[in-house]
Amino acid sequence: MHKEAKTDFDVIIVGCGISGINAAYRLQTECPSKSYTILEARDGMGGTWDFFNTPASGQTRTCTHSASPGGRGRRRNAIASGESIAKYVRECAEVYGIDKHVNYRHRLMAADWSTEAQNWSLKVNADGDMTSFNAKYLVMSTGYYDYNEPLPASIPGLSSFKGRIVHPQFCPRTSTTPTRRLL
């Protein structure tokens, strides 16, 4: 876990999925004099793609963004697995040194704007300890999932289904699960 000793920044980014890493990349390239850190509640980088375990989860090749090593490249497969997308995000962060700015297990608990001070005051649960961070700008790159409480599935007949029910958010992680091609 990277633990940032400094707590005052020009910019604090919350979340280190694709959006958070891209925001950090843009800060480094467009505003190199601005200090920043990334707060990530979980212990992994990649957001949705690091979290979801569904074997067939994927995104089209358009997920390749400008922070990609070598620019906007094309992947061999049009559909990439969630695991390969998470790996891609980690590789981009490492190539540009963004990974050194990430504070894992740092959950944002409250953010208050002070008109007088013209900055954000953040209360953060840092791996079990409450701490404070301050920033002039706050970028929320948290996505829209609640990692602990998934959206309920409303499927007719689900309550009488006798087989195993697995919510996609809690699909067992496996790299050997075969996928079927539907034509």
Side-chain angles (χ1 to χ4, degrees), residues 16-18 21 40 42 44-51 82 85-87 89-90 104 147:
C16 69
I18 291 174
I21 299 305
E40 172 56 48
R42 298 176 56 250
M45 180 181 294
T48 297
W49 304 110
D50 176 62
F51 180 75
I85 294 171
K87 181 180 179 207
V89 172
R90 290 189 300 271
Y104 294 102
Y147 290 120

Side-chain angles (χ1 to χ4, degrees), residues 9-168:
F9 296 90
D10 293 312
V11 181
I12 292 178
I13 300 167
V14 181
C16 69
I18 291 174
S19 297
I21 299 305
N22 194 47
Y25 173 76
R26 290 294 175 193
L27 275 168
Q28 287 183 183
T29 58
E30 306 299 321
C31 307
S33 65
K34 300 294 183 197
S35 63
Y36 78 91
T37 194
I38 302 172
L39 304 178
E40 172 56 48
R42 298 176 56 250
D43 58 3
M45 180 181 294
T48 297
W49 304 110
D50 176 62
F51 180 75
F52 281 106
N53 302 322
T54 53
S57 67
Q59 186 65 276
T60 64
R61 64 178 155 238
T62 59
C63 83
T64 306
H65 59 82
S66 55
S68 172
R72 291 186 184 269
R74 294 276 186 203
R75 296 272 184 205
R76 202 177 93 217
N77 300 325
I79 303 294
S81 69
E83 186 178 315
S84 67
I85 294 171
K87 181 180 179 207
Y88 165 76
V89 172
R90 290 189 300 271
E91 287 171 355
C92 290
E94 185 179 344
V95 165
Y96 293 101
I98 296 166
D99 57 335
K100 293 174 179 45
H101 293 266
V102 179
N103 292 284
Y104 294 102
R105 295 185 296 281
H106 278 58
R107 181 177 299 281
L108 176 63
M109 305 304 288
D112 296 304
W113 172 254
S114 169
T115 304
E116 186 176 311
Q118 293 291 295
N119 76 337
W120 287 95
S121 174
L122 282 63
K123 300 295 179 216
V124 176
N125 181 333
D127 204 18
D129 297 323
M130 291 305 291
T131 189
S132 297
F133 283 79
N134 298 296
K136 295 175 187 168
Y137 301 96
L138 180 61
V139 177
M140 299 300 290
S141 296
T142 57
Y144 56 92
Y145 292 105
D146 181 331
Y147 290 120
N148 299 315
E149 187 68 35
L151 291 171
S154 177
I155 301 171
L158 188 62
S159 61
S160 62
F161 179 70
K162 301 293 184 210
R164 181 177 178 203
I165 298 172
V166 177
H167 193 286

